[in-house]
Amino acid sequence: MEHHEQPALAAPAAPHAPFSTAELTALRRSLTTGRLAMTRRSLLRAGGALAAVVGGSAALSACGIAPAGRTDAALTVDHSTAEKRLNFSNWTEYMDVSDDGRRHPTLDAFQRRTGISVTYTEDINDNDEFFGKIQAQLANGQDTGRDLIVLTDWMCARMISLGWIQPLDADRLPHARANLAAQFRNPTWDPGRKHSYVWQSIPAIIAYNAKATGGRSVDSISQLLEDPQLKGRVGFLSEMRDTVGLTLLDMGKRPEDVTADDYDAALARLQKGVDTKQIRRFTGNDYTNDLDKGDLAACVAWAGDVVQLQSDNPDIRYAVPKAGYMTSTDNLMVPNKARHKGNAERLIDYYYEPKVAARLAAYINYACPVDGVRAELARIDRELAENPLILPDEEMTARSHSFRALNPQENRVFNQKFSDLTGA
């Protein structure tokens, strides 16, 4: 895998247009109830972030920011040798925290080992919101002030296609190259992982409350949409790619190859569930309370939430549909003009050391993308090490699917239709 080769420049990508009504609606939903908006450890202050992106979008249009275009990453000067520091932007509650809540133990250990000072900022609340925050600087070939960022795969695809992400140096990533799990090695949007490495994987599966279902298992999207005993007590996620992707799989379609007709067919099936009141509502992380209480008998859920819920409620169960489940990834990338690319690559590689990856997985409970972690995680918590939601086995991995990258027009159309379905 030759990560260090410079990719050939493609034709200039189309400018990123201002957010459509559907995209702003999706953003509001994501900020207030979306993945990582609410965890059992914290509640985001979503209002300010939403105001920033809506205001920022308007400001970009009003100020006549130059259209998005490619910049030459090769012209970026790396100051890592002279400047032993690094600016790292991540999502809220996406890093291990000490018992007193004041430190990040794995980051502290990296700083002690390398002498590189890390300024760690939890300023990513939503992919589109963060894109709006740094778009103008990247479009104009300017430093964003960040050396390392974490974004979800579909947004990574957009930024790489715009030429705004630096290729990584494979020689500086020995642990990452050796230990990245096979299923993540060659995404269509970044072949060979030349620009990105996985921070965490996010499986979307089925969860149910055994007490609320009378002890019956729930293991398919068909059951969620058609079982009369679940009527009015079913939840689907407000994240389009997870809900539609799982529905497509249940219909025998591959989300990796979704067409407009496939998409419309999946929405029609979900619409029937809405019309018959089989579906109670579309949710973000706020499904956790309803599932815990039994107000929702079953729902589409994120694996990290299920792991945390099960630690408190023995009635919470999960199923990986035989038709397959959806997996998205949050990924580490170095934006163009970042001053400390070499330092960022050292940090990426550090988190692919099994002992470090195990400490992170033990705290945040998402699916770990690092091979060789099981023994290290077992030393911390044997139960977590045996949980396939955190360390998927071969059988589960074989059923993983991802939604294909959409072009800007498809993204607007698909989001608008999904917004109409959910009533957002």
Side-chain angles (χ1 to χ4, degrees), residues 5-78:
E5 293 179 357
Q6 293 290 337
L9 290 179
H16 179 70
F19 296 112
S20 67
T21 300
E23 288 175 312
L24 284 173
T25 299
L27 172 56
R28 291 186 180 96
R29 183 171 60 238
S30 182
L31 283 170
T32 54
T33 62
R35 180 177 60 80
L36 295 179
M38 184 184 297
T39 69
R40 298 174 76 80
R41 300 187 183 100
S42 71
L43 177 66
L44 294 181
R45 297 175 178 86
L50 176 60
V53 67
V54 174
S57 178
L60 285 174
S61 299
C63 295
I65 294 298
R70 303 185 71 91
T71 57
D72 192 348
L75 298 179
T76 300
V77 178
D78 188 2

Side-chain angles (χ1 to χ4, degrees), residues 82-300:
E83 300 174 1
K84 306 293 284 185
R85 59 180 182 268
L86 166 66
N87 294 321
F88 181 9
S89 284
N90 203 350
W91 298 70
T92 300
E93 297 294 330
Y94 221 11
M95 179 67 74
D96 56 309
V97 178
S98 60
D99 290 341
D100 62 10
R102 297 179 180 178
R103 297 176 294 105
H104 300 295
T106 57
L107 275 181
D108 290 347
F110 173 80
Q111 293 177 95
R112 288 193 299 270
R113 180 198 295 186
T114 64
I116 297 171
S117 176
V118 180
T119 299
Y120 183 70
T121 308
E122 295 181 333
D123 61 343
I124 303 178
N125 300 306
D126 176 271
N127 287 283
D128 275 322
E129 179 266 337
F130 189 74
F131 181 87
K133 187 183 297 184
I134 63 176
Q135 175 190 20
Q137 293 161 302
L138 289 170
N140 288 296
Q142 299 171 350
D143 181 9
T144 66
R146 299 166 177 86
D147 301 299
L148 193 60
I149 59 178
V150 179
L151 294 171
T152 308
D153 42 26
W154 58 269
M155 179 57 77
C156 295
R158 178 188 293 185
M159 295 188 70
I160 291 170
S161 72
L162 289 168
W164 291 351
I165 300 300
Q166 295 193 51
L168 300 172
D169 185 342
D171 292 338
R172 292 174 174 163
L173 299 163
H175 295 98
R177 287 188 292 115
N179 297 331
L180 177 64
Q183 75 176 106
F184 304 119
R185 285 184 174 265
N186 200 39
T188 57
W189 49 269
D190 187 21
R193 287 287 175 188
K194 293 180 179 177
H195 302 83
S196 67
Y197 269 90
V198 181
W199 177 247
Q200 296 293 298
S201 171
I202 309 138
I205 56 173
I206 292 173
Y208 62 97
N209 186 316
K211 185 175 181 180
T213 65
R216 295 187 311 123
S217 63
V218 181
D219 59 10
S220 72
I221 296 300
S222 292
Q223 194 173 355
L224 286 179
L225 288 172
E226 300 166 10
D227 187 340
Q229 296 187 50
L230 299 177
K231 185 173 182 177
R233 298 186 296 154
V234 169
F236 277 80
L237 290 172
S238 57
E239 292 292 334
M240 178 270 285
R241 288 165 177 79
D242 291 330
T243 285
V244 177
L246 283 166
T247 305
L248 286 166
L249 288 169
D250 194 70
M251 297 166 63
K253 304 289 186 179
R254 282 172 46 85
E256 293 88 344
D257 307 317
V258 60
T259 65
D261 288 342
D262 293 338
Y263 187 83
D264 288 346
L267 286 193
R269 195 168 178 215
L270 290 163
Q271 185 66 60
K272 183 179 178 181
V274 172
D275 294 342
T276 61
K277 301 190 185 306
Q278 178 78 7
I279 299 175
R280 182 184 184 118
R281 65 191 183 101
F282 293 86
T283 74
N285 280 80
D286 52 330
Y287 67 80
T288 56
N289 289 330
D290 285 347
L291 183 64
D292 190 37
K293 293 185 296 183
D295 292 340
L296 282 177
C299 62
V300 176

